[in-house]
Amino acid sequence: MMTRSVVQVLLAVWVCVVMVASAMPPPAGVSTSCTSGSASSCQDSVFGVVHVPRGGGEGVEQPSSLSEVEALILRASAEQKLVVIDFTATWCGPCKAIAPLFGQLAAEHAGDAVFLKVDVDENAETAAKYQVSAMPTFLFLKGGEVVDRLMGANPDHLRSMIQDNL
C-alpha cells in the first residue's frame, strides 16, 4: 500500500507531465478532433488534451445564432464567395490549436471567402442543422450549399480544401 506522500509525489509528477505535453501543439500531420459532449473526449493521438491559446484572427465572423449564420451565408452567396465554417468548442484542445491558422487563412482569403467560427455550445442550433458531432469540423459552402467537410485539426488538409473549393 502506498503512503500518502508517495501518492502526492506521483500525482505532482503526473500533473507536470500533462502540463508540459498539453502546451505542445500536435506534431505536423497529426489529425486531431473532439467528439461533442465532454472535454475528456477531446484528445489528440499523441499527448491527450492540447491547451493552446485560442485565436480567431481578423476577418473571422463569430455569429451567435442560426439566423446570423444564415444571413452571413446568404450575403456570401450573393457575392459568390466561399464560406468556411469552423465548428469549435472552448473545451476542445485541437480547436484551440488550429484557431490561429484559421485566422491566418481568413486574412489570406479575405477577398474571396467568408470565414465563420461557430461555438457548438453557444450555437447548438447551427451545429445541429449541419449535423456536427465532432470538433473541429470545417464546412465549406458555395451558393448556400455544403460542398465539402473536414473533421479534425489537420492544417494541410484545411489549406488544400480551401484552395480546392475557391
Side-chain angles (χ1 to χ4, degrees):
M1 188 164 141
M2 293 206 265
T3 66
R4 180 179 229 163
S5 61
V6 172
V7 171
Q8 289 173 329
V9 169
L10 290 174
L11 181 60
V13 169
W14 179 80
V15 167
C16 289
V17 168
V18 168
M19 288 175 62
V20 169
S22 297
M24 300 173 69
V30 172
S31 180
T32 57
S33 66
C34 305
T35 55
S36 60
S38 73
S40 63
S41 61
C42 178
Q43 300 181 352
D44 71 68
S45 61
V46 179
F47 298 116
V49 178
V50 179
H51 298 283
V52 179
R54 185 177 182 158
E58 287 187 41
V60 178
E61 301 272 353
Q62 297 187 30
S64 59
S65 69
L66 176 59
S67 61
E68 287 180 29
V69 171
E70 289 174 338
L72 290 166
I73 291 171
L74 186 62
R75 185 180 74 202
S77 189
E79 297 171 357
Q80 298 181 332
K81 290 184 177 182
L82 173 68
V83 177
V84 183
I85 305 176
D86 174 8
F87 286 92
T88 186
T90 57
W91 46 262
C92 172
C95 299
K96 294 175 187 179
I98 202 159
L101 174 63
F102 190 73
Q104 177 187 342
L105 292 168
E108 289 174 14
H109 298 286
D112 38 60
V114 174
F115 287 74
L116 310 179
K117 184 177 287 284
V118 174
D119 185 308
V120 298
D121 294 321
E122 294 174 11
N123 195 343
E125 189 178 12
T126 301
K129 176 181 178 174
Y130 291 103
Q131 301 173 345
V132 173
S133 61
M135 277 62 68
T137 292
F138 299 92
L139 291 186
F140 303 84
L141 295 91
K142 282 185 173 177
E145 300 296 320
V146 176
V147 294
D148 222 337
R149 174 184 293 252
L150 171 65
M151 292 175 61
N154 188 315
D156 294 333
H157 281 118
L158 180 59
R159 283 182 193 276
S160 68
M161 289 179 83
I162 290 170
Q163 208 55 45
D164 292 348
N165 285 294
L166 280 175

